[in-house]
Amino acid sequence: GKGLVEASIRNIAIGMGGQLAQIMMTSAGFSAGSEAAKTFAGMAYNVATMTLAAGFILYYVVPFLPFIYFFFAVGNWVKGIFEAMVGVPLWALAHIRIDGDGLPGSAALNGYFMIFEIFLRPILIVFGLVAAITIFAAMASVFNSIFPLAVNNLGGLNYKLSTDASWLETARGPLDQLFYTVMYAVIMYIMAFATFKLIDQIPQGIMRWMGSSISGFNGGGDDAATFL
């Protein structure tokens, strides 16, 4: 990702150089050279746009996803505490109904589950963070190993020597590299986006193992990283 961002900066500088050459050739009256410089600058800017998008995903977005999910998971936990504080009087009134099994009754049982979930959520958030980072590191390692094989099988690997290859195949090589790099960045982002959801999903879904279906204000919000 860092290399792609630096390459984008170089391509932008090359594009600016092409525009400067266009201005100089236009003022000198070389219309053909001016059009060539304009075309070259446009190509440099287009390549810079693609590499900058891929570099932004790999170098800025993917490393920042764990912090985003962890930060909003802690914020949702704080919202759950305030929800419990507001609901305490209603929970106390729910103890009046003792027609269910046990002293609290079925009406007040969910309150105990919610208190237990509030105390358990910080531990589950940390566990979800560790699990997400571990799973993503393993998936990224396997993906880096099999991605060249997938690319070679998808595009067709040419085992001929470079002297035997046609000029079209030789010229297509850098373009294939660029497009596969952008595809790599998109796949890596999707993989990170799906993996780091565990930081939210584990605390929200762990209570179902105790037979509870409570869902507080902190369990029905939008995904923390959908804006990226």
Side-chain angles (χ1 to χ4, degrees), residues 147-160:
F147 187 74
L149 299 176
V151 168
N152 292 334
N153 284 280
L154 179 66
L157 180 61
N158 188 4
Y159 289 98
K160 296 180 181 180

Side-chain angles (χ1 to χ4, degrees), residues 56-70 128-129 131-141 143 183-201 223-226 228:
F56 175 76
I57 291 174
L58 292 177
Y59 190 59
Y60 295 104
V61 176
V62 172
F64 211 66
L65 281 178
F67 169 76
I68 293 175
Y69 276 107
F70 186 83
L129 176 64
I133 292 176
T134 304
I135 294 172
F136 176 74
M139 292 179 65
S141 178
F143 180 68
M183 187 179 299
Y184 173 87
V186 172
I187 295 174
M188 189 65 71
Y189 170 75
I190 295 173
M191 189 165 57
F193 187 76
T195 304
F196 291 118
K197 280 183 178 180
L198 287 175
I199 302 174
D200 266 339
Q201 289 176 343
D223 201 313
T226 50
L228 295 176

Side-chain angles (χ1 to χ4, degrees), residues 2 20 97 112 162 187 210:
K2 181 180 180 181
L20 181 61
R97 295 182 55 185
Y112 290 96
S162 59
I187 295 174
M210 297 183 63

